[in-house]
């Protein structure tokens, strides 16, 4: 291949300083009015430093080994006094990046980078050479749905929508499973682009400097609007919404029979819709008021009371709430003859007592021990022993008999007396990753649980506020704080606090929970 000779030095070329050439090319490379035509040049060395800089708009890149000599020339021109002084280079030579079959030229992929049309034209005017290898590209302006950043994406016109997804995900670090890209012409949400489509950008109407929008599928990260003192309801709903068997059941396309179940299913679908920031649970609230009139109005209530009411009413309309159902064995022991009578009591949560005297810290298991401890019945609650045939002040003992798939603990922070309600702010240390209840069951099966949600109560009586922590199980496995409409990440170290009120645990893999 014949490369044209270098032009004879003209008066203009001779008088142009190397630094001036560098300035001119830099300005041309950042010209915002540049067309979408680019020229391939061998990438044996760098044209400009910091090519990832936003100032280069991702459209001006390296040039050939020839350019290495030009770079030396503008950095250390001959006569400049430097040890590495270099002369003005000869003609541009692109022969190392092309192949020819005698009829056409083919660019060797991955052996070239690009300069825009004006830079190429200027270099040829100054130095001749070639041959030109034009490449036509599109620059798309990528906005992210959750921030104001704009990223410049450069692809060939004939690149497919599938390749656009690959490029965008590689640049942003978003997995292709969660990425959704839309046409964003005039900053208005347009057509959702199919990540599997082989249609070209040009065929899809994506032209030069077209805006596109990246949405990340963040299901389960929607807040709930406070309708007026409904933070107690929002906290309980978020804990239920992140209970795996509950949301899996209600997100399936079932036709729920009861009004409350249908409203709850619709609410969960909204909460788990991609791109939703906050949901107003007004319709659901009206169904709660109808099913449980004690919650009518906009007064502050207890998240545990609401949870129990919801589970009770949903149980009448769906069997899925059986995942909360456990059993305790209640034993009455005669203090005289030792006769024992057993009964089995169902539960949907275990309400654990907290010490009423000031205590800095206790553990969850110590609270459970206190709940299960043997204690005598009161004198006004005597038991007729079937063996003695006498009224006895029997001892009552509770044991865990059947543990549910979902185990909820209430930490009894509110102590009610005849004249006042007092809140107990004792710090309860509870396990996050592994709660082992094996020692509490007769048969010694593995009974491991992991925490996935917490209903919190901050503040005092009447002026308190409910929030929730929930773990995105089977997604990023990270914890989030749900404070009515606001949702934000939270570090696992913050989950255990003196505000914890309801603890939601799910059985671990390999645990056998049916102990009956």
């Amino acid at each position: 291949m014949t490369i044209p000779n270098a032009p004879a030095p003209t008066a203009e070329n001779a008088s142009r300083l190397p630094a001036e050439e560098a300035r001119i090319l830099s300005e041309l490379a950042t010209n915002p009015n540049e067309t979408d035509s680019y020229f391939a040049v061998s990438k044996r060395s760098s044209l400009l430093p910091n090519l990832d800089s936003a100032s280069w708009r991702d459209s001006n890149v390296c040039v050939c080994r020839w350019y290495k000599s030009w770079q030396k020339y503008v950095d250390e021109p001959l006569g400049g006094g430097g040890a590495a002084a270099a002369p003005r280079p000869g003609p541009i030579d692109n022969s190392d990046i092309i192949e020819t079959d005698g009829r056409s030229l083919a660019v060797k992929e991955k052996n070239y980078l690009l300069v825009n049309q004006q830079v190429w034209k200027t270099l040829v005017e100054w130095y001749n050479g070639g041959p030109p290898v034009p490449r036509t590209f599109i620059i798309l302006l990528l906005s992210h749905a959750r921030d104001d950043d704009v990223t410049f994406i450069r692809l060939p016109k004939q690149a497919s929508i599938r390749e656009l997804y690959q490029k965008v995900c590689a640049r942003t670090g978003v997995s292709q499973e969660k990425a959704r890209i839309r046409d964003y012409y005039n900053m208005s949400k347009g057509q959702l682009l199919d990540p599997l489509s082989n249609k070209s950008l040009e065929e899809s109407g994506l032209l030069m400097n077209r805006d596109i929008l990246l949405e990340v599928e963040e299901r389960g990260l929607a807040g709930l609007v406070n309708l007026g003192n409904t933070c107690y309801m929002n906290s309980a709903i978020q804990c239920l919404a992140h209970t795996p068997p509950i949301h899996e059941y209600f997100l399936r396309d079932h036709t729920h029979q009861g009004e409350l179940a249908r409203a709850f299913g619709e609410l969960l679908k909204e909460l788990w819709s991609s791109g939703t920031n906050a949901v107003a649970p007004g319709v659901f609230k009206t169904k709660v008021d109808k099913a449980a009139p004690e919650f009518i109005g906009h007064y502050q209530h207890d998240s545990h009371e609401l949870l129990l009411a919801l589970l009770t009413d949903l149980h009448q309309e769906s069997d899925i709430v059986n995942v909360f159902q456990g059993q305790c064995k209640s034993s009455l022991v005669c203090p005289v003859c030792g006769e024992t009578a057993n009964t089995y009591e169902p539960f949907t949560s275990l309400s654990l007592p907290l010490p009423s005297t000031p205590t800095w810290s206790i553990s969850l298991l110590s609270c459970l021990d206190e709940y299960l401890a043997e204690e005598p019945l009161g004198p006004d609650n005597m038991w007729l022993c079937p063996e003695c045939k006498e009224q006895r002040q029997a001892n009552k003992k509770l044991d865990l008999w059947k543990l549910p798939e979902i185990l909820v603990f209430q930490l009894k922070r509110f102590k009610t007396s005849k004249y006042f309600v007092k809140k107990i702010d004792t710090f309860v240390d509870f396990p996050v990753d592994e709660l082992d209840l094996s020692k509490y069951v007769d048969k010694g099966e593995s009974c491991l649980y992991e925490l996935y949600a917490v209903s919190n109560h901050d503040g005092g009586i009447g002026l308190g506020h409910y929030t929730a922590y929930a773990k995105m199980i089977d997604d990023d496995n990270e914890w989030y704080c749900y404070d009515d409409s606001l949702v934000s990440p939270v570090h696992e170290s913050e989950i255990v606090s003196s505000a914890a009120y309801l603890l939601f645990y799910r059985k671990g893999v390999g645990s056998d929970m049916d102990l009956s």
Side-chain angles (χ1 to χ4, degrees), residues 426-446:
T426 299
F427 179 89
V428 179
D429 188 15
F430 50 89
V432 174
D433 295 322
E434 186 176 289
L435 172 64
D436 188 353
L437 299 179
S438 302
K439 72 175 185 176
Y440 294 95
V441 297
D442 293 336
K443 300 179 182 179
E445 286 88 348
S446 175

Side-chain angles (χ1 to χ4, degrees), residues 435-498:
L435 172 64
D436 188 353
L437 299 179
S438 302
K439 72 175 185 176
Y440 294 95
V441 297
D442 293 336
K443 300 179 182 179
E445 286 88 348
S446 175
C447 300
L448 301 178
Y449 285 85
E450 68 167 328
L451 187 76
Y452 69 88
V454 180
S455 175
N456 301 301
H457 182 273
D458 290 281
I461 303 298
L463 297 176
H465 180 60
Y466 286 93
T467 60
Y469 293 142
K471 188 177 185 180
M472 292 296 292
I473 301 172
D474 299 328
D475 196 343
D476 59 11
N477 226 32
E478 298 293 331
W479 285 89
Y480 292 86
C481 176
Y482 295 82
D483 184 356
D484 289 332
S485 300
L486 302 177
V487 181
S488 58
V490 62
H491 195 272
E492 187 175 293
S493 62
E494 300 177 56
I495 302 303
V496 182
S497 75
S498 59

Side-chain angles (χ1 to χ4, degrees), residues 155-156 158-165 197-201:
L155 283 169
Q158 297 308 312
S160 66
I161 298 299
R162 183 196 299 263
E163 292 172 310
L164 171 63
Y165 269 88
S197 173
N198 289 316
K199 288 181 64 175
S200 71
L201 302 180

Side-chain angles (χ1 to χ4, degrees), residues 36 138-141 156-161 164 181-186 188 190-194 197-212:
D36 57 355
I138 293 174
I139 293 178
L140 300 174
L141 310 183
K157 277 185 177 180
Q158 297 308 312
S160 66
I161 298 299
L164 171 63
I181 302 176
R182 292 183 180 275
D183 188 356
Y184 201 39
Y185 181 68
N186 281 342
S188 297
Q191 177 187 5
L192 181 65
L193 303 177
D194 181 0
S197 173
N198 289 316
K199 288 181 64 175
S200 71
L201 302 180
E202 194 170 31
E203 291 171 335
S204 302
L206 299 180
L207 305 178
M208 189 67 173
N209 292 330
R210 186 63 163 256
D211 287 288
I212 55 176

Side-chain angles (χ1 to χ4, degrees), residues 14-215:
S15 63
R16 186 185 303 109
L17 297 175
E20 180 68 6
E21 290 192 5
R23 183 191 63 78
I24 292 172
L25 290 192
S26 179
E27 291 177 355
L28 293 175
T30 56
N31 180 8
N33 298 318
E34 184 52 64
T35 68
D36 57 355
S37 295
Y38 294 82
F39 288 80
V41 196
S42 169
K43 61 176 183 180
R44 295 296 180 87
S45 63
S46 296
L47 164 61
L48 294 165
N50 193 17
L51 297 177
D52 292 330
S53 168
S55 65
W56 288 90
R57 297 195 56 174
D58 197 29
S59 63
N60 306 278
V61 283
C62 310
V63 291
C64 59
R65 61 182 176 185
W66 169 88
Y67 201 87
K68 186 174 184 179
S69 60
W70 183 87
Q71 190 176 34
K72 288 182 178 179
Y73 167 63
V74 296
D75 289 343
E76 295 288 346
L78 191 64
R88 194 170 187 272
I92 300 168
D93 183 1
N94 268 347
S95 60
D96 62 325
I97 65 166
I98 56 176
E99 296 173 339
T100 180
D101 59 4
R103 294 171 297 175
S104 60
L105 298 176
V107 178
K108 298 176 183 177
E109 295 297 329
K110 299 182 180 180
N111 288 335
Y112 69 91
L113 291 169
L114 306 168
V115 294
N116 69 36
Q117 187 172 15
Q118 286 300 315
V119 170
W120 172 257
K121 180 180 178 181
T122 301
L123 286 173
V124 171
E125 286 178 354
W126 289 350
Y127 292 97
N128 283 354
V133 186
R135 307 289 281 173
T136 304
F137 280 74
I138 293 174
I139 293 178
L140 300 174
L141 310 183
L142 176 71
S143 298
H144 198 294
R146 287 198 172 266
D147 56 46
D148 297 326
D149 292 340
V150 175
T151 303
F152 297 92
I153 302 295
R154 177 175 53 82
L155 283 169
K157 277 185 177 180
Q158 297 308 312
S160 66
I161 298 299
R162 183 196 299 263
E163 292 172 310
L164 171 63
Y165 269 88
Q166 293 171 351
K167 178 85 170 185
V168 167
C169 291
R171 287 290 300 274
T172 61
V174 174
S175 70
Q176 292 194 42
E177 292 76 14
K178 293 186 176 182
R180 299 292 181 267
I181 302 176
R182 292 183 180 275
D183 188 356
Y184 201 39
Y185 181 68
N186 281 342
M187 298 299 176
S188 297
K189 287 187 179 181
Q191 177 187 5
L192 181 65
L193 303 177
D194 181 0
L196 302 180
S197 173
N198 289 316
K199 288 181 64 175
S200 71
L201 302 180
E202 194 170 31
E203 291 171 335
S204 302
L206 299 180
L207 305 178
M208 189 67 173
N209 292 330
R210 186 63 163 256
D211 287 288
I212 55 176
L213 177 68
L214 172 62
E215 298 175 334

